[in-house]
Amino acid sequence: MTRLPSYFLSHGGGPWPFMDNEFSRMFGELEQSLKTVAAELPEKPSAVLVISGHWEAVEFQVASAATPGMVYDYHGFPEHTYHVRYPAPGDPALAAEVQQRLRDVGLPCHLDSEQGFDHGAFSLLYPMYPEADVPVVQLSLLHSMDPAAHLAAGRALAPLREKNILIVGSGMSYHNLRLLGPGGAEPSRQFDKWLQQTLVESEPDTRRERLEHWSQAPSARIAHPREDHLLPLMVALGAAEQEPAGCIYRQHDLFGGITVSSYRFGNLPD
């Protein structure tokens, strides 16, 4: 039986893959790591389910359009980045299955036929699948930001991995836009060290407990004043809760000193 791993991927800043300047070149290591994620899988997934840190709702929402549009949810970037397209198809059948799986475990979920791809999705999918030839479905976060609920959602969605569906939590392991650069270097290092210990070195039960109480970690609320970019991690881990984790990307000099990382949960198929 083939079972795809799940991933928590740091997605960088705004529409960086569609730019060619000093800002976008800062994400060169991240770009290579995203290409590696796609290359290390034995074949293209049948679809990608993305849980983006840029979409929240009171109850879970899943994008169900056959031809999703675009959401330009960033500010201050070059004009052309507000016209870029990532023309991957949606997958209404997968969206309906995601909805049912969440409902089956008591998590209300609704279909949203209007939601398009936000940059939490297309900024990492473009380096991974530049031909946009893999169907993509997005799942929202809960506005409550309850870690346990997002872990539970991941558990409910875990069987999708056996159907060649790639589950990707898209956020950032450090997300404090007011403290980038040298001022955020030490807090990001401290939180990243805790994240590595929690995800890679801890036993599954300990890992889950630490994540449910993530705000007690060193520099937690400096690294994430609001946890919208951390919660996609909970879904990705929940989908492979008892399986080993590995750090697949770690950079210490983003924005002049910030440490960020990405993780794979579960082993690569043979």
Side-chain angles (χ1 to χ4, degrees):
M1 177 181 61
T2 299
R3 177 187 295 137
L4 292 184
S6 61
Y7 291 84
F8 172 67
L9 301 176
S10 290
H11 63 231
W16 63 269
F18 298 90
M19 302 163 61
D20 184 13
N21 57 18
E22 184 177 355
F23 177 80
S24 63
R25 286 189 286 274
M26 175 173 57
F27 299 106
E29 291 182 46
L30 174 61
E31 181 178 20
Q32 186 55 53
S33 75
L34 295 172
K35 291 179 177 179
T36 299
V37 168
E40 68 186 6
L41 298 176
E43 61 180 332
K44 285 184 178 178
S46 301
V48 183
L49 175 63
V50 179
I51 302 90
S52 170
H54 290 274
W55 186 22
E56 301 172 24
V58 174
E59 297 180 332
F60 282 114
Q61 306 280 330
V62 59
S64 59
T67 308
M70 300 289 284
V71 179
Y72 304 113
D73 53 343
Y74 39 79
H75 305 281
F77 288 92
E79 177 62 24
H80 79 272
T81 64
Y82 298 91
H83 305 280
V84 299
R85 301 286 300 173
Y86 187 73
D91 188 333
L94 174 58
E97 182 175 357
V98 169
Q99 179 191 39
Q100 190 59 53
R101 288 186 180 278
L102 293 179
R103 287 181 168 181
D104 285 347
V105 296
L107 295 170
C109 182
H110 309 278
L111 299 179
D112 186 335
S113 62
E114 302 297 322
Q115 179 69 23
F117 299 141
D118 60 52
H119 81 267
F122 67 76
S123 65
L124 56 80
L125 288 169
Y126 181 70
M128 292 172 64
Y129 301 110
E131 300 301 319
D133 54 354
V134 178
V136 178
V137 169
Q138 276 195 237
L139 175 66
S140 76
L141 299 176
L142 291 176
H143 190 66
S144 68
M145 299 293 166
D146 178 10
H150 291 86
L151 285 163
R155 288 184 209 110
L157 299 173
L160 297 177
R161 297 170 51 213
E162 298 171 6
K163 302 175 72 173
N164 202 35
I165 306 300
L166 184 63
I167 298 175
V168 173
S170 172
M172 286 285 282
S173 62
Y174 176 92
H175 194 253
N176 184 339
L177 299 182
R178 296 186 177 184
L179 196 62
L180 296 175
E186 184 59 18
S188 70
R189 186 198 66 80
Q190 290 178 359
F191 187 74
D192 193 78
K193 180 180 179 181
W194 177 88
L195 205 58
Q196 296 273 336
Q197 292 172 341
T198 298
L199 298 178
V200 179
E201 301 172 21
S202 297
E203 294 298 319
D205 289 347
T206 302
R207 183 168 60 179
R208 181 181 62 252
E209 183 177 356
R210 284 167 68 98
L211 284 177
E212 288 183 352
H213 300 92
W214 72 270
S215 61
Q216 299 174 13
S219 297
R221 281 300 180 185
I222 300 176
H224 292 280
R226 191 170 185 274
E227 56 266 43
D228 49 315
H229 276 57
L230 183 67
L231 266 292
L233 162 65
M234 311 299 178
V235 184
L237 174 63
E241 195 168 30
Q242 301 298 316
E243 297 174 54
C247 180
I248 60 170
Y249 159 72
R250 196 178 194 188
Q251 185 170 349
H252 298 284
D253 60 353
L254 206 63
F255 296 103
I258 300 302
T259 298
V260 294
S261 51
S262 298
Y263 298 87
R264 180 180 63 231
F265 303 106
N267 296 317
L268 289 167
D270 296 330

